Amino acid sequence: MLEVAVYDTMPYDREFLTAAPGADRIHWRFHEFRLSAETASTARGAAAVCVFVNDTVDAACARQLAALGVRLVALRCAGYNNVDVKAARAAGLHVTRVPAYSPHAVAEHAVALLLALNRRLHRAYNRVRELNFSLNGLVGETLAGKTVGVVGTGRIGKIAAQIFRGFDTEVFAYDPSPSPEWASQHRVRYVDLPGLLAASDIISLHVPLLPETKHLINARTLAQMKRGVILINTSRGKLIDTRALIQALKSGHIGGVALDVYEEEERIFFQDLSGQVLQDDVLSRLLTFPNVLITAHQGFLTREGLSEIARVTVENLLRLERGEAFLEGTKL
Ligand code: NAD
């Protein structure tokens, strides 16, 4: 039986992975801790490791895995900035990911964040529970007629743009590899990034984290945005220079921010730290703003998303055992 070591396991990972077709042909070793060079020795005896967004497979970790006999690093997510793919390949490891398990889930979460933040639902919910039925401070804006800027029109950005169009907003998009046919079909207008930043009342980020997209949103690009803009990030935390964002929030230049990802989330997200003192002063400051809404990287977290992640991951693991090619588009 194929031995697979799963890292950063949550109860829902276990539930969906073991329910996927063919999962009974795998001997699962579920670990709650994360995979890194420090914990790699726990992969001994496994043919594959299954990792998520905050496991770290750097060159040192990849070499250790290969030396232990591991043959595959199966990411159960789309983004792979946490894996040194080149080093892993050089060590003789295959690397797979799940490129498009449910782009709708992430796009819908971006829209959910926008609606909640704009209509102050995060504040209203708490107030009503305390029997405070006052509406003071809960004034939002009607979305119809507003301009939404979608940065990155890949799988998720396209769906987000289409949903935003459904609110009767005008949608501007920026992508170095545009999709003109799709844009004309959905009446989305491609503009350059400065044009998008200057025109948008709402900006939603849907780009991968690459060396050239790190801190895409910084003091300079924040200053190019309209006063009062709402910024949504469901992609990767490091797309935003958080310190610059805090300054722009303090000055009132930014009207609101909704984040499903955070620059330093590796040490914080997916854990219950409720009984502890938060050591991250930047996140602590962000959490004090009434116009900031943060979720802990849950854009993917729908039953459909988890089922598809599990289906693709298990199928690739079984193909490894059978010596077959991995599912199309999943090999890095
Ligand atoms: P994708 O590869 O389909 O699309 C990314 C798009 O970004 C491409 O069209 C690409 O041309 C464009 N792009 C690249 N560099 C750009 C730049 N500098 N400016 C503007 N556009 C640029 O990716 P996707 O599946 O749509 O995923 C988008 C992001 O969402 C990924 O970074 C992924 O990490 C993130 N994600 C988050 C969650 C979550 O749970 N919050 C889940 C899945 C994916």
Side-chain angles (χ1 to χ4, degrees):
M1 234 183 196
L2 191 78
E3 290 256 334
V4 178
V6 185
Y7 293 87
D8 208 5
T9 311
M10 295 291 156
Y12 49 80
D13 292 315
R14 195 185 285 249
E15 178 190 338
F16 283 85
L17 283 172
T18 55
D24 53 347
R25 278 177 268 148
I26 293 171
H27 181 252
W28 298 97
R29 284 167 26 191
F30 290 106
H31 299 299
E32 285 173 15
F33 56 85
R34 292 177 182 169
L35 178 62
S36 67
E38 284 70 45
T39 61
S41 62
T42 58
R44 185 180 301 280
V49 293
C50 178
V51 301
F52 196 52
V53 295
N54 290 324
D55 294 291
T56 306
V57 183
D58 54 15
C61 180
R63 279 194 299 270
Q64 280 195 63
L65 292 175
L68 291 168
V70 172
R71 289 180 284 143
L72 170 66
V73 177
L75 283 137
R76 54 182 192 280
C77 52
Y80 53 91
N81 49 282
N82 53 326
V83 173
D84 185 336
V85 178
K86 229 170 127 184
R89 277 201 215 120
L93 296 168
H94 298 292
V95 184
T96 58
R97 64 170 179 147
V98 188
Y101 42 89
S102 179
H104 283 275
V106 186
E108 288 172 13
H109 191 66
V111 178
L113 285 172
L114 169 64
L115 295 177
L117 179 69
N118 175 43
R119 301 304 294 268
R120 319 292 193 255
L121 297 188
H122 55 308
R123 306 189 69 200
Y125 174 79
N126 285 327
R127 273 193 199 183
V128 170
R129 284 177 69 91
E130 302 227 328
L131 309 187
N132 174 358
F133 301 105
S134 151
L135 299 182
N136 210 14
L138 301 184
V139 180
E141 300 204 18
T142 302
L143 292 180
K146 295 287 186 305
T147 300
V148 183
V150 173
V151 185
T153 53
R155 284 171 284 247
I156 297 170
K158 279 197 179 85
I159 294 165
Q162 290 165 214
I163 302 175
F164 289 134
R165 286 285 298 124
F167 289 116
D168 281 340
T169 59
E170 187 165 2
V171 175
F172 284 5
Y174 167 68
D175 194 309
S177 311
S179 307
E181 263 180 43
W182 164 82
S184 75
Q185 188 189 346
H186 294 281
R187 296 213 226 139
V188 170
R189 210 167 112 200
Y190 277 109
V191 293
D192 61 12
L193 186 61
L196 181 149
L197 298 177
S200 301
D201 302 297
I202 295 138
I203 296 174
S204 193
L205 304 180
H206 300 286
V207 299
L209 178 64
L210 306 164
E212 59 273 26
T213 58
K214 184 176 177 208
H215 288 182
L216 181 73
I217 303 303
N218 53 45
R220 187 179 52 81
T221 47
L222 284 163
Q224 290 176 281
M225 294 177 193
K226 263 189 184 175
R227 192 172 174 84
V229 65
I230 293 180
L231 179 64
I232 315 287
N233 186 10
T234 54
S235 285
R236 282 293 179 267
K238 286 189 172 62
L239 296 176
I240 299 181
D241 177 347
T242 317
R243 288 169 197 272
L245 180 69
I246 288 172
Q247 290 311 313
L249 278 162
K250 282 171 80 176
S251 73
H253 185 69
I254 299 293
V257 177
L259 305 174
D260 188 45
V261 286
Y262 166 61
E263 260 195 291
E264 304 301 332
E265 70 178 55
E266 289 87 349
R267 289 179 288 122
I268 300 163
F269 283 9
F270 308 126
Q271 301 172 72
D272 179 0
L273 303 181
S274 56
Q276 299 182 29
V277 173
L278 184 58
Q279 297 298 326
D280 186 315
D281 293 350
V282 175
L283 180 60
S284 305
R285 183 66 180 100
L286 263 186
L287 289 169
T288 66
F289 293 98
N291 51 348
V292 171
L293 176 56
I294 300 178
T295 52
H297 206 138
Q298 69 178 71
F300 69 98
L301 199 64
T302 64
R303 300 195 70 80
E304 292 77 6
L306 291 169
S307 294
E308 183 60 8
I309 289 172
R311 184 191 70 79
V312 171
T313 305
V314 168
E315 177 59 28
N316 274 338
L317 291 166
L318 296 175
R319 285 180 180 218
L320 174 79
E321 194 180 28
R322 296 195 296 258
E324 292 172 8
F326 296 114
L327 286 168
E328 199 185 330
T330 62
K331 189 167 177 357
L332 291 169

